[in-house]
Amino acid sequence: MAESDLILDEGFPVLSDFKPGSSEADRFPVPRAKFASYTKAITFAQRASFLNDCALVFNARAIEDGEYSSGSTFFLPSTMKPRCALEALAQTIFKAHTVGLEGKFDPKNSGAEWWTLVLDNKQSTNNSNPSPKKAGDDDGDDSEDEEDDEVGMHFDADYALEDQASGVFLHPRVATITYLSDVGVPTLILDKRSPPPQDVEKSSLNGSITKGWLSHPSFGKHVSFDGRLLHGAPGEYFPSASIPTSKEEDDVSEPQTKKQKIEEKVDDKEDAALAGKRITFLVNIWVNHSTMDAVILDDDLVSKLTTTWEDPDSNAKSDEAHVPAFQWNIEDIASEDKLTNTVSLTKSSAAAGIEDIILCNRHVDMAFHSSMGDLHDASKLAAKEGSMPLVLEEGVLSLTVGREASDDEEDGSEED
């Protein structure tokens, strides 16, 4: 396969050793699982400064009307040396999820697409009796009920490529979320893939979805999933049910120098501004393709980041006083948390509601035919486990494809 070739295989760029007719195991060694969860995947020696850097990068991506620009993600080529702690974490996650793929992809045309989200969380963890939204109830006056940390349902894809080659949805091999707070609505991942290029009407989106996963924020937790899957954070249906943990247990228990202790006191004051925020660090794993609209983090922005970071190859590594900015705790990416419990949802005559979303340039009705109370109870159960598989009775959650979206309407943002 020539380096310039872009060959798709079920929504992914093919690996370098691709052979037509080869087994699924050979074609898709990654993703290793549709969904995987890892508690305490990362700990920090400079927690507050890292969170402030996440906020700085997030604010740099925002535009005036509160939306996000189309080129709102960053890219770190796999061959590029990180210049800051954020890029170092993106590279660490890329390497963790591509173990075993050596020789199967072109490093010069692969890398980590990454971004941060720092969102307000106004939802009370004690909100056990919310007002349900009935199916068809759309009076246009529900803005006060909307939670700032909700994220629309969407597919992660190279949307700049799709603009040029209509109907071609190219996905990252793996999508990942690293939670850097204990608050906020959970992520909903559904076992639903985007339509193939030949499905012009997007009819393959229609129908029931019977399997999914809920992942609640927990500081240091890392989750990964098949980069082709539909996901988002619909807080109205699956609200926050955060279980706070102490800050101290999330920090690296390393001896600190006097200078570091002083810096931490300063950081603690800055950290107050981020209290109650839903903070996530997101990385998409791209092999044999670099997204067209993601950009390398600007040097000027890098210079404003405050987390102390040293290249592991520098002399600082041999300095006994040096403490790494973060510690990645996953030794084997194949050793994920064992999710033994599931939560099941059944249909109800008191249907929770219908959400109009935009997927693949189409208006799509996402209908929840379970009761709002059952959906909220499911979220509470999942919060106790952190991450939990969902088993959905036929018809509990369904998609119905409608009219084509206009040019000024966009798919759910490529966030979380």
Side-chain angles (χ1 to χ4, degrees):
M1 185 179 74
E3 289 188 10
S4 59
D5 290 343
L6 177 58
I7 303 174
L8 275 63
D9 186 10
E10 296 190 27
F12 291 142
V14 299
L15 298 176
S16 300
D17 60 351
F18 171 75
K19 295 178 181 178
S22 57
S23 70
E24 186 167 320
D26 289 335
R27 289 156 50 216
F28 306 117
V30 171
R32 294 174 172 82
K34 287 187 177 180
F35 175 85
S37 180
Y38 310 82
T39 56
K40 302 295 181 185
I42 187 170
T43 45
F44 292 88
Q46 303 174 57
R47 167 174 168 152
S49 61
F50 193 93
L51 297 185
N52 279 291
D53 286 351
C54 287
L56 181 63
V57 169
F58 172 70
N59 290 331
R61 295 170 44 234
I63 58 176
E64 291 181 0
D65 62 2
E67 298 294 329
Y68 306 107
S69 61
S70 58
S72 59
T73 61
F74 302 104
F75 196 81
L76 183 74
S78 67
T79 55
M80 179 177 171
K81 280 194 172 185
R83 299 161 297 161
C84 61
L86 299 182
E87 289 185 337
L89 179 54
Q91 186 180 79
T92 296
I93 292 171
F94 176 86
K95 288 182 176 180
H97 286 280
T98 55
V99 168
L101 290 187
E102 296 82 1
K104 294 179 180 291
F105 67 89
D106 176 14
K108 299 189 298 295
N109 193 31
S110 305
E113 179 191 17
W114 67 274
W115 66 104
T116 63
L117 284 181
V118 180
L119 303 176
D120 290 330
N121 171 50
K122 297 178 181 177
Q123 196 166 40
S124 169
T125 57
N126 297 318
N127 185 15
S128 58
N129 295 299
S131 300
K133 178 181 178 182
K134 303 294 184 182
D137 181 11
D138 186 14
D139 59 7
D141 190 26
D142 58 355
S143 59
E144 292 184 2
D145 296 327
E146 293 179 0
E147 301 305 331
D148 290 352
D149 57 346
E150 288 197 9
V151 177
M153 301 299 293
H154 64 282
F155 295 105
D156 284 356
D158 188 341
Y159 283 99
L161 174 65
E162 196 275 333
D163 285 342
Q164 295 186 14
S166 181
V168 176
F169 290 95
L170 189 62
H171 302 282
R173 282 271 169 170
V174 181
T176 76
I177 307 167
T178 304
Y179 297 95
L180 300 180
S181 68
D182 294 310
V183 300
V185 301
T187 308
L188 173 67
I189 300 101
L190 296 173
D191 191 9
K192 186 69 174 181
R193 284 162 48 177
S194 66
Q198 63 270 23
D199 183 7
V200 178
E201 299 300 322
K202 317 304 179 191
S203 58
S204 59
L205 287 173
N206 287 316
S208 293
I209 300 171
T210 58
K211 185 178 180 180
W213 299 265
L214 274 178
S215 171
H216 276 267
S218 177
F219 193 97
K221 185 173 81 168
H222 178 78
V223 299
S224 63
F225 52 95
D226 186 322
R228 298 169 293 188
L229 297 185
L230 180 64
H231 61 285
E236 180 179 2
Y237 301 98
F238 297 101
S240 169
S242 303
I243 302 174
T245 59
S246 65
K247 173 180 180 295
E248 287 75 14
E249 70 181 29
D250 292 322
D251 292 336
V252 177
S253 55
E254 295 278 357
Q256 292 181 304
T257 64
K258 181 177 180 181
K259 178 182 177 183
Q260 287 170 330
K261 290 179 179 178
I262 293 173
E263 287 175 345
E264 184 177 79
K265 289 180 181 179
V266 174
D267 281 347
D268 283 342
K269 294 179 181 178
E270 297 171 351
D271 198 33
L274 297 177
K277 303 279 189 180
R278 183 185 189 271
I279 305 175
T280 48
F281 187 90
L282 304 109
V283 178
N284 282 343
I285 310 301
W286 289 93
V287 293
N288 284 343
H289 182 72
S290 300
T291 53
M292 296 178 65
D293 61 352
V295 297
I296 294 175
L297 190 65
D298 186 83
D299 285 335
D300 182 58
L301 189 53
V302 171
S303 68
K304 296 177 181 177
L305 303 178
T306 60
T307 304
T308 304
W309 183 81
E310 296 286 349
D311 186 331
D313 296 329
S314 71
N315 293 331
K317 188 175 181 181
S318 60
D319 183 356
E320 292 184 0
H322 173 68
V323 178
F326 63 84
Q327 178 176 306
W328 184 251
N329 301 321
I330 302 176
E331 296 183 0
D332 180 3
I333 206 69
S335 299
E336 71 268 20
D337 299 341
K338 302 303 180 186
L339 305 180
T340 56
N341 296 320
T342 61
V343 58
S344 299
L345 287 166
T346 58
K347 292 175 68 176
S348 169
S349 58
I354 299 175
E355 191 88 7
D356 177 28
I357 60 177
I358 297 177
L359 294 176
C360 308
N361 302 316
R362 292 276 180 162
H363 281 269
V364 176
D365 283 342
M366 183 171 67
F368 292 86
H369 291 293
S370 190
S371 71
M372 190 69 85
D374 285 348
L375 295 176
H376 288 197
D377 287 344
S379 188
K380 290 178 184 178
L381 286 172
K384 292 178 181 179
E385 299 286 332
S387 297
M388 185 176 280
L390 291 176
V391 177
L392 309 172
E393 181 185 39
E394 187 79 17
V396 162
L397 176 55
S398 62
L399 302 180
T400 304
V401 177
R403 63 181 174 85
E404 193 170 347
S406 60
D407 291 340
D408 60 346
E409 296 173 310
E410 297 182 355
D411 284 19
S413 61
E414 190 179 321
E415 318 280 299
D416 199 72

